[in-house]
């Protein structure tokens, strides 16, 4: 019910607010020491509507000559996704879109995988976040599975959620909104959550 209410709230945001808050988050992320020191970044491409726009962050990463890896859903049933390398914004603009309308890197071009290449910084999407750095995803479990694979390989990158102001709980615009996202045993706490105007 929280996912449903949050998605309805976000889908009603006007384009000006979305762009302004996305730019604000990008400025905060780029100012972080762990971003500055990262040579490899796992990011994500935004959904067509109702989600923070990651274009400014992708622009910043490519401009800083960082290696950028973007998600591709490999198996919905197994909750499996890979993070494959993207070479430039032009490269990203040429990606085919998934059933969710998200650009995905092709799997058949010999692109490097973040699990093999190593990753220093992970930008994490979500539906809602809380002050304890908890995250409510879309429910498919792709990031939970990928984080587990990352940890199994011994990697410990900075995992930073990025969110619009309305995504931080509690939210007075949602009736009976909980103070924190529901958390189960497999749900991991992030290292930080960067919200428009605060971290």
């Amino acid at each position: 019910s929280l996912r449903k209410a949050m998605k309805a709230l976000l889908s009603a945001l006007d384009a000006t607010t979305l762009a302004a808050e996305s730019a604000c988050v990008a400025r905060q992320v780029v100012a972080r020491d762990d971003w500055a020191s990262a040579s490899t970044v796992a990011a994500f491409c935004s959904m067509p509507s109702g989600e923070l726009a990651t274009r400014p962050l992708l622009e910043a990463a490519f401009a800083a000559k960082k290696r950028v890896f973007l998600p591709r859903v490999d198996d919905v049933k197994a909750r499996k996704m890979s993070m494959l390398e993207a070479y430039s914004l032009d490269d990203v603009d040429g990606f085919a879109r998934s059933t969710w309308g998200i650009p995905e890197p092709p799997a058949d071009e010999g692109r490097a995988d973040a699990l093999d290449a190593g990753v220093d910084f992970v930008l994490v999407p979500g539906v809602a976040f809380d002050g304890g750095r908890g995250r409510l995803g879309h429910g498919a479990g792709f990031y939970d599975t990928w984080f587990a694979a990352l940890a199994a390989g011994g990697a410990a990158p900075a995992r930073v959620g990025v969110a619009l102001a309305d995504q931080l709980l509690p939210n007075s615009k949602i009736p009976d909104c909980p103070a924190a996202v529901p958390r189960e045993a497999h749900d991991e706490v992030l290292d930080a959550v960067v919200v428009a105007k605060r971290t």
Side-chain angles (χ1 to χ4, degrees):
S1 62
L2 177 58
R3 278 194 187 100
K4 186 176 179 180
M6 184 61 75
K7 287 179 180 180
L9 181 63
L10 297 176
S11 66
L13 283 177
D14 62 89
T16 301
T17 300
L18 189 61
E21 292 196 11
S22 298
C24 179
V25 168
R27 286 192 298 272
Q28 291 181 84
V29 170
V30 171
R32 292 178 60 88
D33 291 340
D34 46 11
W35 170 275
S37 64
S39 59
T40 54
V41 173
F44 64 96
C45 291
S46 308
M47 290 185 169
S49 64
E51 188 171 46
L52 177 136
T54 56
R55 184 83 177 193
L57 285 162
L58 296 179
E59 288 174 351
F62 286 121
K65 308 297 183 190
K66 299 182 188 296
R67 292 183 74 184
V68 176
F69 295 83
L70 296 173
R72 174 185 178 81
V73 173
D74 299 314
D75 188 327
V76 174
K77 268 192 175 178
R79 302 181 171 190
K80 186 172 182 257
M81 74 174 185
S82 51
M83 285 276 185
L84 303 180
E85 188 165 12
Y87 307 123
S88 66
L89 284 174
D90 285 341
D91 184 33
V92 175
D93 289 340
F95 291 168
R97 293 181 179 265
S98 70
T99 52
W100 295 284
I102 305 168
E104 286 188 334
D108 56 355
E109 293 184 6
R111 293 172 184 266
D113 189 300
L115 292 179
D116 300 321
V119 62
D120 304 316
F121 190 103
V122 184
L123 284 169
V124 188
V127 176
F129 300 87
D130 61 38
R133 293 171 284 122
R135 167 186 174 266
L136 178 70
H138 289 275
F142 293 122
Y143 274 85
D144 295 322
T145 304
W146 188 74
F147 281 147
L150 202 60
R159 298 172 306 170
V160 178
V162 285
L164 303 166
D166 279 343
Q167 290 180 276
L168 185 65
L169 301 185
N171 187 320
S172 60
K173 298 175 185 175
I174 296 176
D176 302 317
C177 184
V181 300
R183 198 178 295 167
E184 297 181 33
H186 65 272
D187 291 320
E188 296 188 40
V189 172
L190 300 174
D191 297 301
V193 178
V194 177
V195 187
K197 300 181 183 176
R198 65 183 291 192
T199 299

